[in-house]
């Protein structure tokens, strides 16, 4: 997404996921084979793979949208959640309550409640839907794990840890982004560190400093 809000996509386009149907947006979220965008008026538009209706968002106005493998979720303006698409593990059936942020993984979802506590649902292998207690400022859901920034800036991760993706480093952080089998975080001093799977260099950080944001199952350094 460009500074003027123009949406550009590239890469694999076999399901039309890289051919945007929304011209301008305030946020874009890339899923498995579909993409969703939050328009300036708060409505959501999606395109690409639609075998489970993951590209058919509900009507209404939202403040944030996230795209998982073949499902999507969004925070309504009143703080309640809406999810759509594949629901085989309950990932498209959100809990009641009010939330400030939601993050969809491959088959599970985690969200930040308005009181700062976490709620997760969907596939529960490796304890990925059993978040720790406490108050948090951000959560990011990966392939089969999730991580969150505590109120004091330290990190907590849970779920699959076969590649060390759920074993965060010490220190304090501003934000983080969980990928398929790795995680990256921006420290409070501006530095970026990644941990977990590194078979294609996804955890090897180039010289910075950088800020980061989640893009699909990976991260983008800016």
């Amino acid at each position: 997404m460009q500074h003027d809000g123009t949406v550009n996509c590239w890469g694999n386009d076999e399901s039309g996921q890289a051919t945007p149907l929304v011209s301008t947006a305030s946020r874009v979220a890339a899923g498995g084979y579909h993409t969703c965008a939050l328009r300036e008026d708060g409505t959501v538009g999606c395109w690409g793979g639609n075998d489970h209706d993951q590209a058919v968002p509900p009507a209404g106005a939202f403040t944030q949208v996230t795209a998982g493998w073949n499902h999507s979720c969004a925070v309504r303006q009143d703080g309640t959640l809406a999810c759509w698409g594949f629901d085989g593990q309950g990932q498209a059936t959100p809990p009641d309550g009010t939330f400030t942020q939601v993050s969809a993984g491959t088959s599970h979802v985690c969200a930040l409640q308005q009181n700062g506590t976490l709620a997760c649902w969907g596939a529960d292998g490796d304890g990925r839907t059993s978040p720790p207690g406490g108050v948090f400022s951000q959560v990011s859901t990966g392939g089969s794990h999730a991580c969150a920034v505590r109120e004091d800036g330290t990190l907590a991760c849970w779920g699959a840890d076969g590649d060390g993706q759920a074993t965060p480093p010490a220190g304090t952080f501003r934000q983080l982004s969980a990928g398929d089998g790795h995680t990256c975080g921006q420290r409070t001093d501006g530095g970026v560190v990644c941990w977990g799977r590194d078979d294609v260099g996804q955890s090897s950080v180039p010289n910075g400093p950088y800020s980061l944001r989640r893009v699909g199952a990976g991260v983008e350094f800016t």
Side-chain angles (χ1 to χ4, degrees), residues 113-198:
Q113 301 186 80
Q114 286 196 338
N115 64 3
T117 61
L118 297 169
C120 300
W121 61 95
D124 194 29
D126 303 301
R128 68 194 73 166
T129 60
S130 299
V135 178
F136 297 83
S137 61
Q138 188 224 342
V139 63
S140 183
T141 308
S144 55
H145 75 291
C147 293
V149 182
R150 294 188 184 276
E151 196 174 35
D152 64 2
T154 59
L155 300 182
C157 298
W158 59 97
D161 196 32
D163 294 297
Q165 66 267 42
T167 302
T172 56
F173 291 78
R174 295 175 181 170
Q175 61 177 328
L176 56 77
S177 181
D180 185 22
H182 72 294
T183 314
C184 294
Q186 184 185 30
R187 296 186 183 275
T188 51
D189 65 3
V192 172
V193 60
C194 299
W195 57 97
R197 188 182 305 156
D198 197 36

Side-chain angles (χ1 to χ4, degrees), residues 6-95:
T6 302
V7 177
N8 288 323
C9 300
W10 56 94
N12 187 339
D13 197 32
E14 63 182 88
S15 298
Q17 66 268 41
T19 302
L21 300 180
V22 172
S23 57
T24 60
S26 60
R27 297 191 185 198
V28 175
Y33 289 90
H34 73 292
T35 308
C36 293
L38 184 69
R39 299 185 180 93
E40 294 291 344
D41 64 0
T43 60
V44 171
C46 301
W47 58 94
N50 196 40
D51 50 333
H52 297 284
D53 289 334
Q54 64 266 43
V56 183
F62 299 84
T63 60
Q64 189 232 329
V65 64
T66 181
W69 182 252
N70 50 15
H71 66 290
S72 303
C73 294
V75 182
R76 295 187 183 276
Q77 289 189 342
D78 65 1
T80 59
L81 296 178
C83 295
W84 59 96
F86 184 67
D87 197 32
Q89 287 81 42
Q91 61 266 55
T93 303

